[in-house]
């Protein structure tokens, strides 16, 4: 049985790998083989999004059966989500945005978290609260690498995981920025590969993503 208190992430989530796979699972039975393929490819941090009914069971399965994975919950948008996912074994939390209530729940959870931002004011508000690691979302729509580069001088303490519209071609430009620790993406978990249970293909794509170099 999975403990309701997940093991701590010893390093920053931003430093575990250059890419965090953003996973949407319709069938929890795919969670373990998918996670094993991603870990074998060199991507241990896996964000399972709360976009499907299978998400909690998927997190629970990965936490229980893939010890080398660092499974997290994405699309966390309420204190209830925080409680449910941490109880299921999530070892980090990612939100597309934040409110004070959500932020307090994530802080109280005892696991690392990346609150989502898309404006300078949101970044400053989090820095005021002592939070320096954030998700930049939706990255491409919100200004991409040019926006993040512009933030690096006035707000050097802020570090980001940009997510949203990032591809294998654009990821290196993000990773070259001094304020980007990693990027989130889904290109290594294409829907057709998951549907076909082609875990070898997922592993190959993960290996390519893991080989990307941070700046």
């Amino acid at each position: 049985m999975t403990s309701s208190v997940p093991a701590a992430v010893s390093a920053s989530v931003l430093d575990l790998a250059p890419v965090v796979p953003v996973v949407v699972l319709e069938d929890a039975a795919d969670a373990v083989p998918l996670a094993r393929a991603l870990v074998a490819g060199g991507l241990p941090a896996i964000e399972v999004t709360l976009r499907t009914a299978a998400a909690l069971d998927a997190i629970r399965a990965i936490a229980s059966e893939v010890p080398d994975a660092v499974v997290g919950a994405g699309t966390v948008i309420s204190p209830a989500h925080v409680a449910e996912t941490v109880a299921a074994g999530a070892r980090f939390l990612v939100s597309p945005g934040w409110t004070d209530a959500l932020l307090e729940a994530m802080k109280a959870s005892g696991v690392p978290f990346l609150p989502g931002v898309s404006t300078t004011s949101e970044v400053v508000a989090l820095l005021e609260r002592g939070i320096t690691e954030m998700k930049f979302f939706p990255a491409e729509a919100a200004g991409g690498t040019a926006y993040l580069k512009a933030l690096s001088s006035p707000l050097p303490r802020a570090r980001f995981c940009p997510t949203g519209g990032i591809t294998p071609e654009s990821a290196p430009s993000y990773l070259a920025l001094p304020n980007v620790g990693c990027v989130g993406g889904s290109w290594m978990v294409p829907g057709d590969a998951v549907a076909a249970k082609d875990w070898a293909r997922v592993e190959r794509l993960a290996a390519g993503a893991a080989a990307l170099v941070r700046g």
Side-chain angles (χ1 to χ4, degrees):
M1 179 179 294
T2 303
S3 168
S4 62
V5 181
V9 175
S10 58
S12 164
V13 174
L14 299 184
D15 297 328
L16 291 174
V19 180
V20 175
V22 179
V23 174
V24 180
L25 284 172
E26 299 291 343
D27 186 349
D30 292 331
V32 168
L34 177 67
R36 286 175 175 158
L38 290 170
V39 171
L43 299 180
I46 302 168
E47 177 188 334
V48 177
T49 65
L50 301 182
R51 301 180 192 176
T52 68
L56 282 177
D57 285 340
I59 291 169
R60 193 174 291 113
I62 295 170
S64 298
E65 300 181 45
V66 192
D68 292 332
V70 180
V71 63
T75 323
V76 173
I77 59 172
S78 71
H81 278 168
V82 173
E84 291 166 351
T85 55
V86 172
R91 296 173 62 189
F92 64 93
L93 306 171
V94 183
S95 68
W98 61 275
T99 65
D100 285 330
L102 178 58
L103 200 64
E104 287 307 310
M106 291 194 293
K107 288 170 67 175
S109 71
V111 301
F113 57 92
L114 297 174
V117 297
S118 60
T119 69
T120 306
S121 294
E122 291 169 324
V123 176
V124 171
L126 288 178
L127 291 174
E128 272 189 355
R129 292 161 171 79
I131 296 165
T132 60
E133 298 188 346
M134 312 165 196
K135 170 179 177 172
F136 180 59
F137 176 83
E140 286 290 285
T145 55
Y147 194 95
L148 286 172
K149 185 176 181 180
L151 293 183
S152 62
S153 290
L155 302 172
R157 290 193 299 128
R159 295 182 71 215
F160 301 95
C161 174
T163 305
I166 296 176
T167 66
E169 293 73 30
S170 63
S173 297
Y174 282 94
L175 292 168
L177 297 174
N179 54 351
V180 169
C182 64
V183 300
S186 57
W187 70 84
M188 73 296 301
V189 285
D192 59 342
V194 175
K197 304 187 188 305
D198 188 350
W199 310 127
R201 180 183 171 199
V202 170
E203 182 177 340
R204 288 194 301 271
L205 292 170
L212 294 174
V213 177
R214 287 181 273 214

